[in-house]
């Protein structure tokens, strides 16, 4: 049997479009709401525009998961393009309803067509480039000719071993979200303390604190 396993993910993967295009990865976008205005991620709003709007807004942006219909449209297009099966790898289910939408779409897709192909949905238990690294690894495996089950097993394995840490350049968003008070934010800024966050067990947790004058927002992704 000729394996043409295709990979689908969501825009929380933060992969450059050039990488997605090169590896044949389909990305279903989330929606971002800022000051009452909705934007389709990657289509209506670039990362630079997103951060600029965050800085000028008094409230944190909100995100909405893609609808099941958006995923189903992607599945059907891949089937038309000759996919033998589809593996969907999503943003942690502990952070978003995106995976639930992908699963509902897979159920409806398989039930609604006599020629439906197999669709498996995997929880990455990660976000940003943690998700992106899992997706690219699985896309390369699929391109090498691996079968559906092998790709699913690789995604599930990497989900248990991929760790993400982030160093926050500013405490302003934590303040806006009510996680810390204004006085504590001012003190931490004065002491040049940069909180470390970690995606742990599929959720964002505090990972520690670092004293630094670095202005970079850095993410570290490690696969154990």
């Amino acid at each position: 049997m000729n394996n043409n396993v295709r990979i689908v993910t969501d825009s929380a993967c933060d992969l450059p479009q050039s990488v997605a295009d090169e590896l044949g990865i389909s990305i279903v976008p989330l929606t971002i709401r800022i000051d009452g205005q909705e934007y389709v991620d990657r289509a209506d709003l670039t990362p630079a525009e997103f951060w600029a709007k965050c800085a000028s807004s008094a409230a944190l942006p909100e995100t909405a998961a893609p609808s099941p219909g958006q995923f189903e449209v992607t599945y059907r297009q891949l089937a038309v393009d000759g996919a033998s099966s589809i593996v969907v790898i999503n943003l942690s289910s502990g952070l978003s309803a995106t995976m639930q939408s992908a699963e509902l779409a897979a159920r409806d897709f398989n039930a609604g067509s006599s020629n439906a192909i197999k669709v498996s949905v995997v929880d990455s238990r990660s976000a940003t480039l943690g998700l992106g690294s899992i997706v690219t690894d699985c896309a390369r495996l699929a391109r090498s000719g691996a079968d559906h089950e092998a790709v699913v097993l690789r995604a599930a394995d990497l989900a248990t071993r991929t760790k993400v840490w982030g160093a926050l350049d500013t405490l302003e968003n934590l303040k806006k979200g009510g996680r810390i008070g204004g006085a504590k934010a001012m003190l931490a800024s004065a002491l040049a303390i940069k909180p470390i966050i970690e995606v742990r067990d599929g959720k964002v947790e505090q990972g520690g604190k670092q004293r630094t004058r670095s202005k970079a927002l850095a993410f570290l992704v490690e696969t154990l």
Side-chain angles (χ1 to χ4, degrees):
M1 178 180 176
N2 181 29
N3 293 318
N4 183 18
V5 183
R6 297 297 300 271
I7 305 298
V8 175
T9 189
D10 56 73
S11 59
C13 68
D14 287 339
L15 289 174
Q17 191 59 47
S18 59
V19 173
D21 291 342
E22 178 187 352
L23 295 174
I25 299 166
S26 297
I27 299 177
V28 179
L30 281 77
T31 300
I32 301 170
R33 185 181 298 108
I34 304 176
D35 292 334
Q37 181 71 37
E38 290 193 349
Y39 304 89
V40 177
D41 193 17
R42 300 173 76 97
D44 299 337
L45 204 61
T46 66
E49 290 169 338
F50 170 79
W51 289 113
K53 288 182 181 296
C54 281
S56 63
S57 175
L60 285 176
E62 299 175 336
T63 60
S67 68
Q70 288 174 269
F71 278 102
E72 190 169 354
V73 166
T74 300
Y75 301 163
R76 294 195 182 282
Q77 185 58 58
L78 290 175
V80 169
D81 292 343
S84 60
S85 66
I86 299 170
V87 178
V88 191
I89 308 168
N90 284 128
L91 168 65
S92 171
S93 61
L95 299 173
S96 170
T98 300
M99 183 176 169
Q100 182 180 6
S101 290
E103 290 176 326
L104 288 172
R107 183 196 64 191
D108 292 343
F109 173 66
N110 284 319
S113 172
S114 59
N115 297 319
I117 59 178
K118 187 171 186 179
V119 179
S120 296
V121 182
V122 180
D123 187 348
S124 73
R125 301 177 63 80
S126 193
T128 188
L129 288 179
L131 169 59
S133 67
I134 295 171
V135 168
T136 54
D137 184 282
C138 290
R140 291 189 176 98
L141 180 63
R143 284 212 158 185
S144 74
D147 64 18
H148 183 90
E149 293 306 322
V151 176
V152 170
L153 287 173
R154 176 70 69 88
D157 174 55
L158 290 174
T160 66
R161 299 190 292 115
T162 301
K163 310 296 180 183
V164 178
W165 290 270
L168 301 183
D169 182 59
T170 174
L171 300 180
E172 186 61 28
N173 287 335
L174 294 179
K175 179 182 173 183
K176 288 179 182 178
R179 290 181 177 270
I180 61 172
K184 187 174 181 179
M186 289 181 61
L187 178 61
S189 296
L191 296 175
I193 295 174
K194 307 294 184 180
I196 306 298
I197 58 172
E198 176 186 356
V199 181
R200 184 190 313 149
D201 297 326
K203 296 182 180 180
V204 178
E205 306 286 353
Q206 181 173 322
K209 298 175 182 177
Q210 181 181 5
R211 287 288 301 277
T212 176
R213 294 190 179 277
S214 170
K215 295 299 182 182
L217 171 60
F219 283 99
L220 173 65
V221 179
E222 179 182 24
T223 301
L224 302 177

